[in-house]
Amino acid sequence: MGRPVFVFIKCDLGKAYDVAVDLVYEVDPCPQVYSISGEHDLIAQFHLPDEMDIGKFVTSQVQTLPGVRDTNTMIAFNTFANDKGFKGDKPE
């Protein structure tokens, strides 16, 4: 499935939906994209192969899309969810 990476995206005014469409149709691997409130306009979740250079991916595939003003990337280390087969102990 790959390593989960989240990219928060600030867009030019009025361009968030255009950027979201470009992300879904132009970027491989195709992300899940959410419009959000707050400091950023969008958050895109990618599942990148372990061997892929995250910095190069973001700078060449995301930051170059028309309407993208700025990005902030976060790498997830682990997923904790009952539906994902998490086998940790339930807190008391």
Side-chain angles (χ1 to χ4, degrees), residues 42-92:
L42 303 170
I43 182 171
Q45 178 183 5
F46 300 92
H47 292 279
L48 301 180
D50 291 336
E51 65 276 1
M52 185 175 280
D53 183 317
I54 296 169
K56 186 172 183 176
F57 171 79
V58 172
T59 57
S60 66
Q61 298 289 315
V62 179
Q63 291 179 347
T64 57
L65 291 173
V68 172
R69 184 184 307 179
D70 192 19
T71 63
N72 183 6
T73 303
M74 294 191 182
I75 302 165
F77 299 114
N78 204 344
T79 301
F80 300 94
N82 194 23
D83 63 338
K84 301 289 184 188
F86 176 63
K87 302 296 184 204
D89 294 331
K90 182 178 175 186
E92 299 293 326

Side-chain angles (χ1 to χ4, degrees), residues 20-41:
V21 169
D22 284 347
L23 282 163
V24 170
Y25 288 107
E26 303 295 330
V27 178
D28 185 35
C30 178
Q32 290 181 309
V33 182
Y34 303 89
S35 60
I36 57 175
S37 63
E39 186 177 339
H40 297 89
D41 301 301

